Amino acid sequence: MGYPVIFVFESIYYPILAAVGITVNLVAIIILCRGNCGLSKCITHYLVAMAMADLMVVIVEVILKRINNIYLPINVLFITPVCATILVTKIAALDCSVWFTVAFTFDRFVAICCQKLRPRYCTKRIASVVIATVCTLAFLRCVPLYLIFKPRYVINNIPYFCIAIAAYYTSPLWAAYESFDSVVTPLIPIVLILLFNALTVKHIIKSNKTRRALVSNRDNRNDPESENRKKSMILLFTLSGNFILLWTPYFIHSLKWRVRNHNYQDKYHSDPIYINQQTGFMLQLLSSCTNSCIYGLTQRKFRQELKNGVKYLVTLNGKLCK
């Protein structure tokens, strides 16, 4: 009997996702940390934090869990406490990635729409405080999840694998927690991102009308303020739209069905609900790779830094080209 289609697809998809995710996020972190992309320190701080959170998701969820489950035999990663730690860390990293996107969106909203607040809020120090706060709250929120796991097997007195305790599926308290979890990530982030983007667009349209009335057509074409605003908005809307698009299938699924924790040998692979769930996971995890690709597509100086880096590596610091 052959493997289910969803399993075959995952066995190909996740190794490719891991290779791409590790590469693009590491490259993004290195380039952004160099500070030559023409972005403010505040924006750079948020983007680096997002790339690091995405890198953590790829390492913990894609490599240590998904690929390990598909390709490797029983090993230390399957021991129940280790398995539970990996699952909780993955959820916390996803939360960080999501809420860093919200924080970045709000920061750009303040920078564009709230000129009086901008000098005090849009700083590297505030960005550091926000990032640290998000990380702390994300990990604290995930602590209760560690309690829901029990071993599936006990071999030589060693517990293996993680399955949810029966109370997780029957207790009103856990049902309320899961509903709260769906609201916190990603419903509230989606609503906030849409709200801040709508307010930002409204402000830009109003400002552009006023600016066109004050600045001549020739001056407006060379207006650095308008150009910087345009670049910032392209990056903002692309990152926000990417997040909403890739997280929506998972969110819609989680509203109606609880996430299932089944092994690859179980009978549920042909269940449309299970296939829909796994597809949502794949798209959700894809968002951990796309942000860094978006930087390259939307930011000219980022692309130039990437070209310089590739040229440096290929030509051994340009010596082969001389």
Side-chain angles (χ1 to χ4, degrees):
M1 182 177 178
Y3 289 107
V5 174
I6 186 66
F7 174 78
V8 174
F9 187 81
E10 287 177 321
S11 66
I12 299 171
Y13 175 82
Y14 284 122
I16 295 174
L17 185 67
V20 174
I22 293 290
T23 302
V24 298
N25 283 305
L26 279 176
V27 169
I29 291 170
I30 293 171
I31 292 177
L32 290 169
C33 287
R34 285 171 55 87
N36 297 326
C37 294
L39 301 171
S40 69
K41 292 183 178 180
C42 179
I43 295 177
T44 301
H45 223 48
Y46 282 117
L47 295 182
V48 170
M50 291 164 65
M52 292 182 70
D54 290 342
L55 179 62
M56 180 63 70
V57 172
V58 173
I59 293 173
V60 174
E61 173 67 1
V62 179
I63 298 177
L64 297 185
K65 183 188 174 193
R66 302 282 174 172
I67 295 177
N68 185 65
N69 287 352
I70 295 172
Y71 287 105
L72 300 180
I74 292 178
N75 57 37
V76 68
L77 297 180
F78 291 129
I79 297 175
T80 302
V82 178
C83 172
T85 301
I86 290 174
L87 290 169
V88 171
T89 303
K90 179 265 295 189
I91 295 172
L94 277 172
D95 276 3
C96 288
S97 177
V98 169
W99 283 98
F100 288 159
T101 304
V102 176
F104 172 73
T105 305
F106 179 72
D107 179 86
R108 292 302 84 201
F109 163 74
V110 172
I112 294 172
C113 304
C114 308
Q115 296 302 314
K116 292 184 179 179
L117 182 59
R118 176 179 177 177
R120 290 177 293 169
Y121 184 83
C122 299
T123 64
K124 183 178 178 180
R125 183 181 68 84
I126 294 296
S128 300
V129 172
V130 170
I131 291 168
T133 302
V134 168
C135 290
T136 301
L137 293 178
F139 278 92
L140 288 177
R141 189 182 76 81
C142 292
V143 169
L145 291 175
Y146 192 84
L147 304 176
I148 72 172
F149 297 113
K150 67 176 182 178
R152 183 167 187 142
Y153 307 110
V154 177
I155 303 174
N156 296 327
N157 294 322
I158 300 176
Y160 285 100
F161 299 108
C162 294
I163 60 173
I165 58 177
Y168 176 72
Y169 297 102
T170 59
S171 169
L173 182 61
W174 282 116
Y177 182 89
E178 187 166 281
S179 298
F180 171 76
D181 180 70
S182 297
V183 169
V184 171
T185 305
L187 178 58
I188 292 178
I190 289 175
V191 171
L192 290 176
I193 287 172
L194 290 174
L195 174 63
F196 293 140
N197 283 347
L199 293 174
T200 303
V201 169
K202 180 180 178 181
H203 177 84
I204 288 176
I205 292 174
K206 183 178 178 180
S207 298
N208 285 345
K209 288 181 179 179
T210 304
R211 199 169 188 85
R212 279 195 295 268
L214 297 175
V215 182
S216 67
N217 289 335
R218 180 180 177 183
D219 291 338
N220 191 53
R221 285 195 299 268
N222 300 314
D223 183 9
E225 179 66 23
S226 297
E227 187 65 23
N228 290 335
R229 185 180 296 171
K230 179 181 177 181
K231 291 179 180 179
S232 181
M233 291 311 303
I234 290 174
L235 179 60
L236 171 62
F237 288 150
T238 309
L239 288 175
S240 301
N242 169 73
F243 164 73
I244 293 173
L245 179 65
L246 295 180
W247 272 79
T248 297
Y250 168 81
F251 172 64
I252 293 174
H253 173 86
S254 65
L255 287 178
K256 191 171 184 180
W257 296 287
R258 285 200 173 193
V259 172
R260 298 183 178 183
N261 185 22
H262 297 308
N263 283 347
Y264 288 101
Q265 293 78 18
D266 285 338
K267 61 183 179 181
Y268 296 95
H269 291 100
S270 60
D271 188 339
I273 297 176
Y274 179 78
I275 293 173
N276 180 66
Q277 169 188 287
Q278 297 306 104
T279 302
F281 283 150
M282 286 187 277
L283 291 175
Q284 178 195 63
L285 294 172
L286 179 61
S287 67
S288 299
C289 302
T290 51
N291 283 343
S292 299
C293 297
I294 288 171
Y295 307 153
L297 292 173
T298 61
Q299 302 296 304
R300 181 182 59 82
K301 290 186 177 181
F302 186 95
R303 294 194 300 271
Q304 187 59 48
E305 283 291 297
L306 180 59
K307 290 178 183 177
N308 292 340
V310 172
K311 180 180 177 181
Y312 183 92
L313 293 175
V314 172
T315 67
L316 299 178
N317 197 19
K319 290 180 181 179
L320 296 182
C321 291
K322 292 183 180 180

